[in-house]
Amino acid sequence: MKRFISLLLVVVMLATCGLTVCATEYAYSIGHNFGNTILFDDYEGDFTPNVKYAAKIYGMMGYDSYQSFDPTYTYLQGQNPGGQDRLGSSVVFLNGHGSSNSIVFGNKTNNEPAYRCGVHRDYDFAPSTEDYIYTGLKDRDLSNTKLISFFCCNSATTSPNLCSVAIDRGATCSIGFTNNIQSRTTDGQKWIETFHNYLYNGSTVQNAASLASISVPKNEVGNHIKIYGDRTITLTLNSTRTMNENETESLAAEFLEIIESSKDTDCPIDIDTSLITISDCKDKYFDFAMTEQGEYIDLESVIDCYSDVIDVMNEINPEFSVEDYKVFANEYAEGTGDGIINVTYFIEDIMTSYTTVFIVSAGEIRCVSHPNQFKSVNAVQKSMLNIRAKLFETSQTATQNVMTTAIENMSEDEKLVSTSTSYYYDFDTDTLYQVIHSVYELADLGVYSAHSVEVEVA
C-alpha cells in the first residue's frame, strides 16, 4: 500500500511539473535592421529598438520572452520550447517593411538567402521570381495566440490581409495598419513604447492604443491602427498591477490612475502629462460611418457630423473657430463605434502641434485630452508663417538636397515610389519645419516603407 501511495505521489508530481511546463507562455518580438538606406536619419531602416522594447515589456509581464533581429525562414517556421508554432506563441510582435500580403525581414543584397524571409498571409512558399522564402500564416496554428501585431505599412488594407487571416487561424486579437506608417521615427517609437507601457499596466489592447494616442498625438501609427478580434483582451500574467475595465468609470479615470500609480512603482511608464488635461465628456456622441476616415478633413466642411465634438471644443477653448481646424477620424474596427478623433489646429495648410484627441467607445465620446493652454496666433503671425513657407518652397534647395541624398543612398533593394512635402509648426519651440515624405518599395516585393524628414525653415 505504501509503495502504491509513493507511486501515486510521483505520478501527481510529474503531472504537476508537466502542467507547469505547459503553463509557460511565450512571447516573440522580431524585426530587422535594414540599415541607413533612403535618407540620413539614424533610425532610418532599424526596427531593432522597437523589438528590444517590446521583448523587455513582455518579459517583465511574465512571458518567456525572445527577440530576433536576423530571423531565418526556418526560425519563422519553427516551434517555441512548448512545442507550438513559434508564430503561434501567446504574444507575437512583428516590425518591418510590409503590405497587406506580407511582412519581410532581411536584405536581398546584404544577407545570405536563409535570412531573406518573411511572413505571408497565405501558405509557405518561395516565389520563383524572388529569392525570399515566406512562412505562411495559413500553415500555422494560432489558436493559443492572444495578440499578434503586424507593425508595418498597409498590413490591414484590403481583405483578406495579414490581420484577418491571423484571426481566421485562431488568434484572439491582431493589430495592423491601413496606410504607410513610420514606426521608426521618434514619434513612432514613442507611440509603440507607450502602447506597451499601458499593456504592461493591464490596459486592454484597445485602451492601450487610445491612451498611447493621447500621449503621442503627433504620429501616424495611432491614426491608422486597426484592431481585429477581441479588442478588450489584456496580456496580464504576473504583472504587479492589473486593471479591470469594470472598476473604472471612464478612460480618463484609467489614464489618471495609471499615471498616479506609476509614481510609486518600477513600471516603465514615462509620460509627460504636464501639458495635457483629461476631461470626461457626458452625453456626447460620434458616428464614424457619417464621415471620411484616414485623412485630415476641414472641420468647417463636416460640421453636422462633428457637432458634439465642436461643442466640447468650444467648452475647452474660448478661441475655438471651426475654420482653423482639421479633423482626423479612425475607427478601430468597422461598425463598432470604437476609435479616436484628432482635432488639429492648422494655419492655412500648415499643421501645428496643437492637437486635441477624442476617444470614442461604442459611439460615445468617453474623454478628451487637450493641451492646457492654447497659444493663439494673430493674423500677422499667420501671414508671416505662410510667407516663410512659400519662400522656402520657392527655393527648394533643402528639398533637392534631401532627395539627392536619398537617391545616392538607395541600394539595389529599394525603389523610390513617391515624395511629397508639407509644413509643420511647433508652438512650444516656435519652429517651422518643412516635412519631406517619401515612400519606397523594397526589392520589388510589393512591400513598402514610409519615411519623413523634418527640415527647419530658417
Side-chain angles (χ1 to χ4, degrees), residues 196-428:
H196 280 96
N197 288 343
Y198 285 123
L199 289 178
Y200 172 84
N201 277 277
S203 290
T204 66
V205 171
Q206 176 171 307
N207 285 3
S210 296
L211 294 166
S213 293
I214 280 180
S215 304
V216 193
K218 181 178 175 281
N219 75 92
E220 296 175 343
V221 180
N223 283 350
H224 298 294
I225 189 172
K226 295 296 176 185
I227 308 174
Y228 290 66
D230 184 1
R231 300 179 306 285
T232 66
I233 189 173
T234 67
L235 303 185
T236 302
L237 284 179
N238 62 353
S239 174
T240 57
R241 180 178 178 279
T242 60
M243 285 292 299
N244 184 332
E245 279 192 299
N246 296 326
E247 295 175 356
T248 60
E249 295 182 357
S250 68
L251 284 172
E254 179 175 342
F255 179 84
L256 294 174
E257 183 178 345
I258 289 173
I259 296 301
E260 185 62 31
S261 69
S262 69
K263 297 176 182 178
D264 303 317
T265 68
D266 294 327
C267 77
I269 287 288
D270 181 19
I271 300 170
D272 181 10
T273 59
S274 60
L275 298 177
I276 298 177
T277 297
I278 306 295
S279 304
D280 283 304
C281 300
K282 303 297 183 182
D283 300 320
K284 300 295 183 183
Y285 302 92
F286 181 78
D287 185 354
F288 286 98
M290 294 296 290
T291 186
E292 294 182 57
Q293 297 184 44
E295 61 180 298
Y296 278 98
I297 304 170
D298 291 332
L299 180 56
E300 193 173 17
S301 68
V302 287
I303 290 177
D304 292 341
C305 304
Y306 286 86
S307 57
D308 280 4
V309 169
I310 292 171
D311 288 344
V312 177
M313 290 297 297
N314 280 319
E315 292 174 6
I316 63 178
N317 180 9
E319 299 183 34
F320 176 76
S321 178
V322 292
E323 61 264 22
D324 292 331
Y325 286 80
K326 293 186 180 183
V327 289
F328 190 108
N330 178 34
E331 187 176 26
Y332 293 142
E334 185 177 356
T336 61
D338 298 332
I340 61 169
I341 304 165
N342 285 348
V343 184
T344 302
Y345 182 70
F346 274 73
I347 301 171
E348 293 188 11
D349 290 328
I350 301 174
M351 178 184 285
T352 77
S353 58
Y354 186 82
T355 296
T356 298
V357 181
F358 289 78
I359 295 180
V360 185
S361 179
E364 180 181 356
I365 299 175
R366 296 281 297 277
C367 67
V368 55
S369 75
H370 54 91
N372 285 330
Q373 294 183 343
F374 172 66
K375 300 178 176 66
S376 61
V377 179
N378 60 40
V380 174
Q381 291 172 310
K382 289 182 180 180
S383 177
M384 289 302 299
L385 282 174
N386 278 289
I387 290 173
R388 287 169 61 192
K390 289 175 182 177
L391 289 173
F392 194 80
E393 187 75 25
T394 301
S395 71
Q396 289 292 309
T397 302
T399 302
Q400 291 171 1
N401 289 341
V402 169
M403 296 317 303
T404 297
T405 302
I407 294 171
E408 289 175 349
N409 289 343
M410 287 174 66
S411 71
E412 295 177 18
D413 276 12
E414 301 138 1
K415 179 174 66 178
L416 197 61
V417 175
S418 65
T419 60
S420 62
T421 59
S422 61
Y423 287 86
Y424 176 79
Y425 178 67
D426 190 324
F427 275 108
D428 294 330

Side-chain angles (χ1 to χ4, degrees), residues 114-151:
Y115 296 97
R116 300 168 196 161
C117 59
V119 176
H120 200 279
R121 75 183 190 191
D122 288 325
Y123 299 95
D124 297 345
F125 80 104
S128 58
T129 56
E130 304 292 345
D131 52 346
Y132 275 74
I133 298 181
Y134 290 92
T135 296
L137 290 177
K138 290 184 179 180
D139 281 323
R140 310 273 87 75
D141 178 7
L142 306 187
S143 58
N144 292 310
T145 303
K146 298 177 181 178
L147 175 65
I148 181 167
S149 303
F150 301 95
F151 275 82

